[in-house]
Amino acid sequence: MSAQIIDGKAIAAGLRDDIKNEVDGLGKKPGLAVILVGDDPASQVYVGSKVKMTVAVGMESFEHRLPADSTEKDIRHVIKNLNSNPDVHGILLQLPLPPHLAEVQEDLVQSIAPEKDVDGLTVTNAGKLFLGLEGLVPCTPQGSMLLIKSVEENLSGKHAVVIGRSNLFGKPMAQLLLQENCTVTTAHSRTQNIEELCRSADILVAAVGRPKMVKGDWVKPGAIVIDVGINRMDNGKLCGDVDYDGAEKIAGAITPVPGGVGPMTIACLLKNTLKAAKGR
Ligand code: NAP
């Protein structure tokens, strides 16, 4: 039997509609500032869609496009101004920064005011998530959780395996699953017997960056499979970290790539911006 396809595109569209309705009745315009340094084509595309959707839900978009040879001081200056601008409720520094800024990237992220940190990457927001306190949760894991919940409301006692332990995705995803009373295993590049581990997962989340790494026979029959990976193949098409054709015959529910987790990331960015504008 084929798995239920989790339609991230439709779920994200519904979420954006809800956000727009709330923005319309808010009495002020939430503002999202995006800082893009350099001319990386993929980042340009991401920023373009973020700006378009920000405007579409009735929010104010502030774009700061800086040249590729910008210095740490240049970016710090922009962040400082946005931190103190009352019309800006959310600040997103598009990552990765150009290679010459790699060493200061983390410091720059940490210079964003935590109450405007709509990517949820500052120590304050990461700490709040860890402690189970209200804060701004990173967008991709937040969106992935909404997709899981769209097929299964009660996750208590389920075994969740998250492949990947990045600060951006794997670690916050594991925390969110723990908050839902899952038994969580985090797998990474040094994990032994990963196939076997995955076969014991009721919820399997893959965020590795390796095309089609998770094979169909790694999936437990009936499992919920969330594919976070975005990989471009030689033919120009996108694929995930899960071998979709193999996995969808065995899983209970699965996200496609594209059209699964991807659209949820921007929708949750807007959700975080609205939350920041409301001051909670
Ligand atoms: P990342 O920082 O490169 O982390 C990748 C993780 O995968 C690391 O923890 C790494 O383990 C682990 N890994 C690498 N090879 C492995 C292997 N053979 N077996 C098991 N684990 C392995 O990447 P990321 O930022 O988390 O992103 C992961 C993927 O999600 C990428 O394809 C990215 O494009 C995609 N992504 C999508 C969205 C979206 O909106 N849909 C958002 C963010 C990311 P170690 O820690 O041991 O090195």
Side-chain angles (χ1 to χ4, degrees):
M1 214 176 75
S2 296
Q4 173 188 344
I5 296 166
I6 306 175
D7 187 348
K9 217 170 151 183
I11 295 171
L15 184 56
R16 290 197 306 273
D17 284 347
D18 293 347
I19 293 169
K20 184 169 187 332
N21 286 337
E22 213 178 323
V23 168
D24 289 346
L26 195 63
K28 69 175 171 185
K29 219 172 182 175
L32 173 62
V34 181
I35 307 166
L36 174 61
V37 185
D39 38 28
D40 174 63
S43 294
Q44 302 247 17
V45 172
Y46 288 141
V47 167
S49 334
K50 282 169 189 170
V51 169
K52 211 170 107 195
M53 295 203 185
T54 303
V55 174
V57 296
M59 295 183 183
E60 190 83 49
S61 173
F62 300 83
E63 266 180 89
H64 292 265
R65 290 175 185 262
L66 306 184
D69 60 357
S70 298
T71 63
E72 177 188 1
K73 201 172 156 205
D74 297 332
I75 303 166
R76 240 176 229 287
H77 180 71
V78 173
I79 294 176
K80 193 167 173 239
N81 284 341
L82 293 172
N83 279 343
S84 59
N85 183 341
D87 295 330
V88 172
H89 303 95
I91 303 170
L92 184 142
L93 179 60
Q94 183 67 39
L95 303 177
L97 294 175
H100 71 283
L101 294 163
E103 275 187 16
V104 293
Q105 178 168 299
E106 189 58 40
D107 279 353
L108 287 167
V109 168
Q110 297 304 328
S111 73
I112 296 172
E115 66 277 12
K116 297 189 179 188
D117 163 34
V118 282
D119 249 348
L121 295 177
T122 56
V123 168
T124 301
N125 284 312
K128 283 184 173 175
L129 179 61
F130 191 86
L131 296 178
L133 302 173
E134 195 63 33
L136 293 166
V137 174
C139 306
T140 310
Q142 189 184 155
S144 300
M145 182 52 90
L146 291 174
L147 294 181
I148 295 169
K149 291 278 201 131
S150 75
V151 285
E152 181 76 66
E153 191 52 45
N154 183 6
L155 308 182
S156 185
K158 300 212 178 288
H159 184 207
V161 172
V162 180
I163 318 177
R165 56 172 164 180
S166 66
N167 291 339
L168 192 69
F169 186 82
K171 285 179 195 163
M173 187 72 235
Q175 287 302 321
L176 290 175
L177 288 159
L178 204 53
Q179 279 178 11
E180 293 292 330
N181 298 317
C182 289
T183 303
V184 184
T185 307
T186 300
H188 47 78
S189 65
R190 318 288 165 87
T191 299
Q192 310 268 314
N193 300 327
I194 195 163
E195 295 98 329
E196 217 167 291
L197 192 64
C198 290
R199 273 193 284 273
S200 71
D202 303 305
I203 300 163
L204 179 58
V205 184
V208 186
R210 292 170 75 97
K212 304 186 184 183
M213 183 185 101
V214 176
K215 308 298 176 206
D217 64 1
W218 294 26
V219 175
K220 179 176 173 176
I224 300 172
V225 178
I226 304 293
D227 191 351
V228 184
I230 302 179
N231 309 289
R232 196 163 293 279
M233 294 184 291
D234 291 342
N235 63 8
K237 288 191 175 165
L238 293 179
C239 81
D241 291 342
V242 177
D243 174 15
Y244 183 86
D245 292 338
E248 67 95 28
K249 295 184 183 75
I250 298 164
I254 187 167
T255 59
V257 176
V261 174
M264 294 302 286
T265 298
I266 298 187
C268 288
L269 175 69
L270 302 172
K271 193 165 175 263
N272 277 350
T273 305
L274 175 59
K275 187 174 179 177
K278 290 196 297 187
R280 60 183 172 83

